[in-house]
Amino acid sequence: VNTSLTRLAVRQTLMVNQLVDMEWKFGVTVGTSEIQKLGTVFLQLKLVVRKGNSTENVYMELTLPQFYNFLHEMERAKASMECFS
Amino acid sequence: MSIGAVSSQTTNDAADVILFALHFPCGILLSRDLSQSHVNMAATVCNEDFTNLQLLLKASSKDAVREVCVQSQRGLSQRLTESTAATLGISEGQAAQLVQSLHALSHYVLFYNLSSPEQILAIFPESFHSSLKNLITKILLENSATWRTEALSNQISLPQLKDLDWRVDMVTSSDSVSRMSVPTCLVQLKMVDPCSSADSESVSSVTVELSRESLDTILDGLGRIRDQLSVVAGK
């Protein structure tokens, strides 16, 4: 009982701009108004951020190198978090 | 383009990826509406353009021709019209038309990715001045790789992730729990909105907080993207 109450209380702790969801899609850019035939990969992310009582969506696009960098940094952050457990 | 038509293509690399996406719907989506036609400048070069191009015969040197061609690819500007009129000894009206015609030609070559001399020479009419035709073709071929790279980096896009910084905190106390030891992660994402002018790039940033569970979920999602990317890359 003590642990679940604590867990509930911990969950009440304020979080600023809490990330509540991440959606993604990726595919191929087949062409643009300047270049008829392309075949480059694109990746788009949508982050859903809780701001007060409502949420805000943040949209962004990543190239492949940016994506791998993002993944690498998040792995480092996780490793840092696990140091404390 | 119907699905039937796509499934019959086997040679083009881009089409192979599209084929994969249509038959294995595991989260890979096509970015572009294939039915969208070119509503911007129609990529065509007309007879009037070739007439205007012959104004280049008034240039005093090959380098002068090269200069006008390269500058025109970027588009029309008052400064360019004036300098072209001065260099070639023609009126500003004629200079403006010449720049527009050169722009149409370089746009055409870039759009259809014409990469061999034969392909470019074939666009010119029979009656066009032969040496000028060869010179223009040479200039277009010299620059097309650079122009393609520029077009790729200038293409429209959602705000691009340019920088990422993070911080891991250990929360030791809060108004609801006096003593605890809970790690939390702050991530700052800096995005740049690609605008037409390079000087005024709009940078926006967002800082989000992630619990350990959220970070695990994110990593799970990113891992799935990485796996699917390596499948696509393998094709």
Side-chain angles (χ1 to χ4, degrees):
Chain A
V1 165
N2 214 2
T3 348
S4 34
L5 274 176
T6 318
R7 248 199 297 268
L8 270 169
V10 166
R11 259 192 217 118
Q12 304 248 335
T13 304
L14 111 94
M15 281 192 88
V16 182
N17 288 357
Q18 184 183 11
L19 182 66
V20 291
D21 198 11
M22 177 177 84
E23 290 174 33
W24 51 269
K25 74 179 182 198
F26 75 89
V28 175
T29 302
V30 297
T32 73
S33 45
E34 304 306 309
I35 301 173
Q36 189 191 44
K37 286 193 188 138
L38 269 181
T40 51
V41 176
F42 74 92
L43 170 65
Q44 284 172 0
L45 288 184
K46 168 184 160 192
L47 301 177
V48 183
V49 182
R50 176 157 294 128
K51 294 207 161 188
N53 287 328
S54 62
T55 61
E56 182 186 304
N57 298 328
V58 181
Y59 298 93
M60 66 189 80
E61 199 160 315
L62 287 75
T63 62
L64 281 189
Q66 284 160 352
F67 164 73
Y68 286 114
N69 185 51
F70 186 24
L71 173 58
H72 178 65
E73 290 304 318
M74 292 297 96
E75 282 173 343
R76 288 176 68 206
K78 179 177 159 97
S80 179
M81 273 196 157
E82 295 197 321
C83 274
F84 296 103
S85 63
Chain B
M1 192 189 277
S2 69
I3 293 177
V6 172
S7 65
S8 69
Q9 289 176 345
T10 51
T11 51
N12 186 298
D13 280 352
D16 279 343
V17 179
I18 296 168
L19 175 65
F20 174 86
L22 289 171
H23 288 271
F24 299 90
C26 47
I28 302 173
L29 297 174
L30 293 178
S31 71
R32 183 170 167 90
D33 179 348
L34 295 169
S35 65
Q36 188 178 4
S37 56
H38 337 298
V39 290
N40 300 341
M41 309 147 44
T44 53
V45 193
C46 60
N47 282 327
E48 202 192 301
D49 288 317
F50 288 110
T51 309
N52 293 332
L53 289 175
Q54 307 225 68
L55 285 166
L56 286 169
L57 290 166
K58 299 189 179 219
S60 52
S61 68
K62 286 188 181 176
D63 281 337
V65 175
R66 188 167 276 118
E67 187 59 27
V68 181
C69 288
V70 169
Q71 293 300 324
S72 302
Q73 190 266 342
R74 296 212 165 89
L76 198 60
S77 77
Q78 182 57 24
R79 189 195 52 77
L80 179 58
T81 313
E82 285 169 6
S83 66
T84 307
T87 317
L88 298 177
I90 54 179
S91 72
E92 277 192 20
Q94 286 177 310
Q97 285 188 313
L98 170 60
V99 168
Q100 266 175 337
S101 296
L102 274 170
H103 182 77
L105 182 60
S106 54
H107 177 69
Y108 186 90
V109 168
L110 179 63
F111 187 77
Y112 291 109
N113 196 24
L114 303 183
S115 47
S116 77
E118 295 73 36
Q119 285 174 312
I120 301 180
L121 289 167
I123 317 171
F124 289 82
E126 285 284 315
S127 56
F128 199 87
H129 188 282
S130 175
S131 319
L132 182 59
K133 176 173 70 172
N134 291 335
L135 176 60
I136 296 176
T137 302
K138 183 163 173 249
I139 295 169
L140 290 169
L141 284 170
E142 277 169 6
N143 289 284
S144 48
T146 314
W147 289 340
R148 190 178 167 95
T149 312
E150 271 175 17
L152 282 173
S153 62
N154 291 340
Q155 72 188 20
I156 63 168
S157 161
L158 290 182
Q160 298 191 334
L161 178 64
K162 280 293 183 242
D163 207 0
L164 181 106
D165 289 306
W166 56 267
R167 171 179 123 187
V168 167
D169 289 341
M170 182 58 83
V171 182
T172 53
S173 179
S174 79
D175 53 306
S176 49
V177 182
S178 67
R179 278 184 57 186
M180 60 177 164
S181 172
V182 177
T184 187
C185 178
L186 288 168
V187 178
Q188 184 192 50
L189 303 144
K190 285 203 183 115
M191 281 123 15
V192 173
D193 205 339
C195 304
S196 47
S197 72
D199 332 320
S200 66
E201 277 192 328
S202 69
V203 184
S204 64
S205 99
V206 66
T207 304
V208 297
E209 187 170 347
L210 293 88
S211 64
R212 186 194 247 142
E213 293 82 23
S214 301
L215 183 53
D216 284 340
T217 312
I218 302 272
L219 277 170
D220 192 55
L222 294 179
R224 275 186 281 142
I225 298 175
R226 181 198 50 208
D227 294 338
Q228 291 190 20
L229 275 173
S230 53
V231 175
V232 173
K235 288 277 160 195

